[in-house]
Amino acid sequence: MDSSWRHLDLGGRVCVLTMRRRRLRCPEHGVLVEAVDFARPGSGFTRDFEDLAVWLATKTDKSTVSVFCRVTWRTVGAMCGRVVADKIDPDRFTPSDCDLGGVEIGVDEISWRRHHKYLTLVSDHESGKIVWGTEGKHAAAFGTFFTDTLPAGAAERIEAVSMDLGPAYVKAVREHAPQATICFDPFHVVKLATDALDDVRRQVWQHARSLSDKQIAKTYRGARWALLKNPEACPPSRLRH
């Protein structure tokens, strides 16, 4: 019986490779089919086709990839699973051959389906790569990175973990890598400071409104953006106020 694999299009036309493979009936494992170098086991697509589709999936959504490659979006997801299983080294977290530098990592979440679904992603600051991910954004989700993924003793080598201000990731780090320094995202830290500064400005403005000199209230009301700017970026007229 012939087997077929979808290959990269040629001149805008669908290209299908067909080959007759040897089959072996094993008493223990059943019917086994001859493997081929140009396609992954269980796939109806060549490696080149799957590699292209999955690369496109890193640049855009699956629906766009399915239209471009002329396959269903569920097929794109299946190809992503096969390519990830084939490309990712299962020993990538071992000390001898580790994509994870082991000392500085970052954790954050991304969402899809209008913030109804979340993924927790861990990156290595040394290589700049995403090295791990799982569904969810709670402490238990991040905790599986330490308990189920890292080899024994690897969590103890982590020196710093960058994250946003969410308490869930803080809890996981404190539980599994208490020696690590938690580094909060500067964006969120600065936002807290600017929000606090604006709250103080509002309080002063509300108090100034009760004064007889109404110009004082107008000055504080119009000083919002001047207070948030760096002094060197603020116009001299604002500084005089």
Side-chain angles (χ1 to χ4, degrees), residues 104-169:
E104 295 180 355
I105 63 174
V107 59
D108 203 355
E109 78 277 356
I110 61 171
S111 65
W112 75 98
R113 290 189 179 179
R114 298 182 179 180
H115 301 284
H116 291 293
K117 297 285 187 178
Y118 289 88
L119 286 177
T120 293
L121 299 177
V122 174
S123 61
D124 174 28
H125 285 306
E126 182 176 345
S127 65
K129 297 179 180 179
I130 300 295
V131 295
W132 181 86
T134 191
E135 190 171 351
K137 64 170 185 175
H138 40 76
F142 186 31
T144 59
F145 171 71
F146 299 98
T147 58
D148 301 345
T149 305
L150 292 180
E156 300 174 0
R157 303 197 316 269
I158 296 177
E159 297 178 1
V161 183
S162 65
M163 64 183 71
D164 58 22
L165 298 175
Y169 294 150

Side-chain angles (χ1 to χ4, degrees), residues 52-69 73 76 80:
L52 172 64
V54 174
W55 179 82
L56 290 172
T58 65
K59 306 300 180 183
T60 185
D61 58 274
K62 289 197 297 186
S63 297
T64 302
V65 177
S66 67
V67 173
F68 183 84
C69 296
W73 68 272
V76 177
C80 289

